[in-house]
């Protein structure tokens, strides 16, 4: 049996856009005020994905590991910017902390997945490395932004309580432990929730794409399981890293809480 897929033309893409116009029409009829945002979001999504498609076509032709690593670094930097932009509060080393956390989490997990589990040869084959890295980065940046948002908000909301504990002789870890734990929990919730319903309520996009492209459902499922485990691990490492680095940035070695947080508009 020959495995094939049905190619989608630009005309068919235009027909698919009718779904968005249904949403815009409903927004207009019900006076929801979402029409403009839906239109802008749709246009941005189409332009960005078409650009990514052309870029990936070029990336997949690369055979130079140095160039591929440069592309991976560029993806990580974009993920860092996106992660930080989703948080309302800032401190001096926030970008650097996010970069270190996402770099360690995504590169370690992607490297082990490509080389140790899937055993791609060569390990830098962009057909495997870049999509896997992208999926792990996407999940990780969501986890880091949620956990960092919760951590900084809790530091502000619980400032008096934390400073009272520090005054009474608690170490910085003892005073901030509850806040750290809650931030890590919040960062992992989306990943755990998606794993709980996967296969029963939702079919992952990557698995669906493989099946539509002609892959065996059993092969697609095995790939998806590997990727979900990799995403969960990458998110955990990145989330823990960004919260612990933020903790070190906002508490000094004298067990004092720094007044270093600023709120963005």
């Amino acid at each position: 049996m020959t495995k094939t897929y049905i190619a989608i033309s630009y005309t068919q893409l235009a027909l698919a856009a009718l779904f968005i116009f249904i949403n815009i029409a409903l927004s207009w009829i019900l006076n929801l005020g979402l029409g403009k945002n839906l239109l802008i979001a749709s246009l941005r999504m189409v332009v960005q994905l078409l650009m990514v498609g052309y870029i990936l076509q070029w990336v997949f032709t690369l055979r130079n590991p140095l160039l591929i690593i440069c592309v991976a670094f560029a993806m990580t930097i974009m993920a860092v910017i996106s992660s930080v932009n989703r948080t309302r509060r800032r401190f001096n080393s926030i970008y650097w902390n996010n970069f270190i956390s996402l770099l360690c989490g995504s590169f370690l997990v992607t490297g082990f997945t490509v080389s140790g589990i899937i055993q791609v040869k060569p390990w830098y084959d962009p057909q495997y490395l870049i999509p896997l890295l992208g999926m792990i980065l996407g999940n990780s940046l969501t986890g880091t932004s949620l956990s960092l948002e919760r951590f900084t908000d809790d530091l502000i909301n619980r400032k008096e309580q934390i400073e009272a504990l520090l005054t009474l002789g608690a170490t910085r870890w003892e005073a901030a432990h509850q806040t750290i734990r809650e931030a890590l929990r919040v960062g992992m919730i989306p990943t755990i929730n998606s794993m709980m319903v996967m296969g029963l309520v939702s079919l992952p996009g990557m698995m669906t794409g493989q099946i539509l492209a002609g892959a065996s459902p059993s092969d697609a499922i095995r790939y998806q399981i590997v990727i979900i485990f990799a995403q969960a691990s990458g998110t955990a490492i990145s989330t823990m890293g960004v919260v612990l680095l933020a903790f070190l940035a906002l508490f000094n070695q004298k067990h004092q809480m720094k007044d270093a947080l600023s709120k963005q508009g």
Side-chain angles (χ1 to χ4, degrees), residues 23-45:
N23 288 4
I24 293 174
L26 288 174
S27 174
W28 179 73
I29 292 170
L30 299 175
N31 198 25
L32 300 178
L34 298 175
K36 183 179 179 181
N37 289 337
L38 280 169
L39 184 59
I40 293 173
S42 301
L43 290 174
R44 283 188 59 177
M45 180 270 295

Side-chain angles (χ1 to χ4, degrees), residues 112-130:
F112 181 72
T113 302
V114 170
S115 301
I117 299 176
I118 303 177
Q119 299 182 1
V120 177
K121 295 181 181 179
W123 61 267
Y124 56 83
D125 187 341
Q127 180 180 349
Y128 291 88
L129 183 66
I130 298 301

Side-chain angles (χ1 to χ4, degrees), residues 34-148:
L34 298 175
K36 183 179 179 181
N37 289 337
L38 280 169
L39 184 59
I40 293 173
S42 301
L43 290 174
R44 283 188 59 177
M45 180 270 295
V46 170
V47 171
Q48 289 170 181
L49 285 179
L50 289 176
M51 286 178 61
V52 167
Y54 288 118
I55 291 171
L56 286 179
Q57 283 185 338
W58 169 72
V59 169
F60 285 177
T61 64
L62 297 178
R63 288 297 176 263
N64 186 325
L66 183 59
L67 288 176
I68 295 169
I69 292 299
C70 287
V71 172
F73 268 99
M75 292 170 62
T76 305
I77 291 171
M78 294 301 295
V80 168
I81 295 171
S82 178
S83 176
V84 174
N85 286 344
R86 294 183 186 186
T87 61
R88 292 175 295 172
R89 302 186 188 276
R90 302 284 190 275
F91 52 91
N92 288 337
S93 59
I94 187 170
Y95 282 98
W96 177 247
N97 291 355
N98 273 266
F99 178 74
I100 292 296
S101 302
L102 286 171
L103 183 71
C104 291
S106 60
F107 274 52
L108 285 173
V109 173
T110 303
F112 181 72
T113 302
V114 170
S115 301
I117 299 176
I118 303 177
Q119 299 182 1
V120 177
K121 295 181 181 179
W123 61 267
Y124 56 83
D125 187 341
Q127 180 180 349
Y128 291 88
L129 183 66
I130 298 301
L132 283 170
L133 178 64
M135 285 185 281
I136 292 171
L137 274 175
N139 265 54
S140 296
L141 78 87
T142 298
T144 54
S145 61
L146 288 174
S147 61
L148 198 57

Side-chain angles (χ1 to χ4, degrees), residues 200-218:
L200 295 176
V201 177
S202 65
L203 289 178
M206 178 268 181
M207 186 180 78
T208 304
Q210 279 192 310
I211 293 172
L212 291 176
S216 164
S218 59

